[in-house]
Amino acid sequence: MATPAQGPAEGPCSTAPDGPEVHPVDQKLHPSRLVPAALQHIAAMYAGVVTPPLIIGQAVRLDTAGQTRLIAASLLIAGVATLLQTLGVKGFVGNRLPFVNAASSAGIAPMLAIAETNATGEQLPAIYGAVMVAGVFCLAIGPFFGKLLRFFPPLVTGVVITLIGVTLMPVPVAWAQGGDKTATDFGSMKYLALAAFTLVVILLIQRFGRGFVRQVALLLGLLIGTLAAIPFGMADFGALGSAPVAALPTPFAFGAPEFQPAAIISLCLVTLVLMTESSAGMLAIGEICGRETDGRTITRGLRTDGLATLLGPVFGGFPTSAFAQNVGVVSLTKVRSRYVVAAAGGALLVLGVFPVLGAVVSTVPMPVLGGAGIVLFGSIAVSGIRTLSEAGLDDSSNIILVAVSLGAGIIPLAAPTFYADFPAWAQTVLGSGISAGALVAVALNLFFHHLGTRGGASAPALKSS
């Protein structure tokens, strides 16, 4: 049984005016409390939701209109997935907890590897085909995933989360230099100065801001950095005039999906890690909210992940998983109502059907995104390091496991041509530091903690804190 979180209420339940006790998770708050709480969740998740479409859109060289469609689709799918998760269909999908689902940054690196091994025009179809199969994979093994968790202890998940932050760091660095590596002014001081200014603004807000202001430090940094770019002619708002105010995403707007075995393998590997992360998040939110999170709850939650991942590519979405930062918001605010997060999901859905709002994001100058991206991806790496700190690194075999896995994951970053002579399928799987690191970590965990031992892994599969 999960331990009730300590909050302003006297106990885990409150008494309705004319009815039985209502658990804090099921409380329907007055709008005066619901709206500000929902805004905090939107602020915590928004930058993460739009990051995958921004990076993938840049990598496949989409124009402004295509970039806008990707962002709108990501917002729409995040809204639908979060509504399904929080409200649910009892007994089928949704953990019915204050739990946010949206496009995960963990899928970015393998999707970039897929893009690099496909010709222009075939990149997104190959990515979407692999994502759809990964969704089916999640749905298929979700009911049995509890038995697989012992193969994904904090040692493995910590390595993968750390590699997500590390392997993505070249992306904001390129943004800080202007974004377009073929431009003659790529890396000029004006771009670097704007990126540095944005980073300093975020740091100052984080240092001196309080409450809600600190939580939206990234968004405020993006806003102030964009405003600072205007006098220097570094902000282009032309996309706002051409973007439609309201429109539903067009199914398969970027082409019919293509199913390539190597691409599918790499994303299925990442899906296993995402499922582990989601399961840990559900355990954590259960403890915070004082509601038991059993196997059936986790299965329904993972089923929501699988459905969103399977159907998302139809409209332009990417692999979907839990957003850990929103678990932190629940813990910080002590507002445990799932209807608050449902309201945030509804707001994301509305944002997704107004492409002009996605166009607003696409107008943020690349150097501004670069300054904010260093914080965003750096914080992902820190999350992985925090997970590893709980993984028993006083054991020499665990140190070797982490060292070799991180080394394997950093090879594609340190030596991009290392796998140039390998077959195309191997380049796709190993060319992503996340996939390579995950494979090595799982294999070494089996070698050190399962083969020839009794009782399985020496470390717990999940930590909920």
Side-chain angles (χ1 to χ4, degrees), residues 16 88 108 110 129 143 171 179 283 298 321 348 371 426 436:
I108 294 175
V171 173
L283 289 174
I298 291 177
S321 183
L348 289 180

Side-chain angles (χ1 to χ4, degrees), residues 110-437:
M111 288 190 289
L112 289 177
I114 295 169
E116 289 174 3
T117 56
N118 281 273
T120 302
E122 298 177 1
Q123 297 163 312
L124 283 176
I127 289 172
Y128 285 139
V131 172
M132 293 180 78
V133 176
V136 174
F137 178 68
C138 179
L139 289 171
I141 70 169
F144 317 104
F145 190 64
K147 297 179 181 179
L148 299 176
L149 286 177
R150 64 196 184 99
F151 300 116
F152 294 88
L155 278 173
V156 174
T157 56
V159 165
V160 174
I161 296 170
T162 302
L163 284 173
I164 291 169
V166 172
T167 59
L168 290 177
M169 194 55 70
V171 173
V173 171
W175 286 350
Q177 295 174 283
D180 185 0
K181 295 182 180 180
T182 63
T184 56
D185 60 350
F186 179 75
S188 66
M189 281 304 300
K190 64 177 182 179
Y191 294 142
L192 299 179
L194 182 56
F197 172 77
T198 303
L199 178 58
V200 169
V201 167
I202 293 171
L203 294 175
L204 290 174
I205 294 172
Q206 190 66 35
R207 171 63 180 84
F208 298 106
R210 293 292 181 269
F212 182 69
V213 173
R214 288 185 69 180
Q215 289 183 347
V216 296
L218 272 175
L219 291 180
L220 289 176
L222 291 172
L223 174 62
I224 295 171
T226 301
L227 293 175
I230 294 174
F232 300 97
M234 296 167 65
D236 181 10
F237 297 97
L240 295 178
S242 58
V245 175
L248 290 174
T250 304
F252 300 118
F254 301 100
E258 297 179 6
F259 302 98
Q260 301 176 0
I264 290 169
I265 291 171
S266 66
L267 277 183
C268 284
L269 283 171
V270 172
T271 297
L272 286 170
V273 176
L274 292 180
M275 294 173 73
T276 306
E277 189 177 9
S278 275
S279 299
M282 283 183 260
L283 289 174
I285 205 72
E287 288 187 3
I288 293 167
C289 295
R291 171 165 284 181
E292 183 179 5
T293 304
D294 57 17
R296 288 175 296 179
T297 302
I298 291 177
T299 296
R300 292 196 304 270
L302 293 177
R303 190 173 289 135
T304 307
D305 285 1
L307 284 173
T309 300
L310 170 61
L311 300 177
V314 175
F315 301 101
F318 297 113
T320 299
S321 183
F323 263 38
Q325 56 265 49
N326 291 89
V327 175
V329 172
V330 175
S331 178
L332 179 68
T333 63
K334 308 299 183 186
V335 178
R336 293 169 276 174
S337 171
R338 59 191 171 99
Y339 295 103
V340 167
V341 177
L348 289 180
L349 192 154
V350 171
L351 290 172
V353 298
F354 287 92
V356 67
L357 298 173
V360 170
V361 178
S362 66
T363 62
V364 177
M366 284 290 113
V368 174
L369 287 172
I374 289 172
V375 178
L376 179 63
F377 297 130
S379 66
I380 295 174
V382 170
S383 296
I385 294 169
R386 184 170 59 237
T387 301
L388 286 173
S389 70
E390 303 172 348
L393 291 184
D394 52 340
D395 184 284
S396 60
S397 62
N398 289 347
I399 293 174
I400 294 296
L401 185 156
V402 173
V404 175
S405 302
L406 287 175
I410 292 174
I411 285 175
L413 186 66
T417 60
F418 187 85
Y419 297 110
D421 293 330
F422 281 57
W425 66 266
Q427 291 184 44
T428 302
V429 175
L430 300 176
S432 162
I434 297 173
S435 297

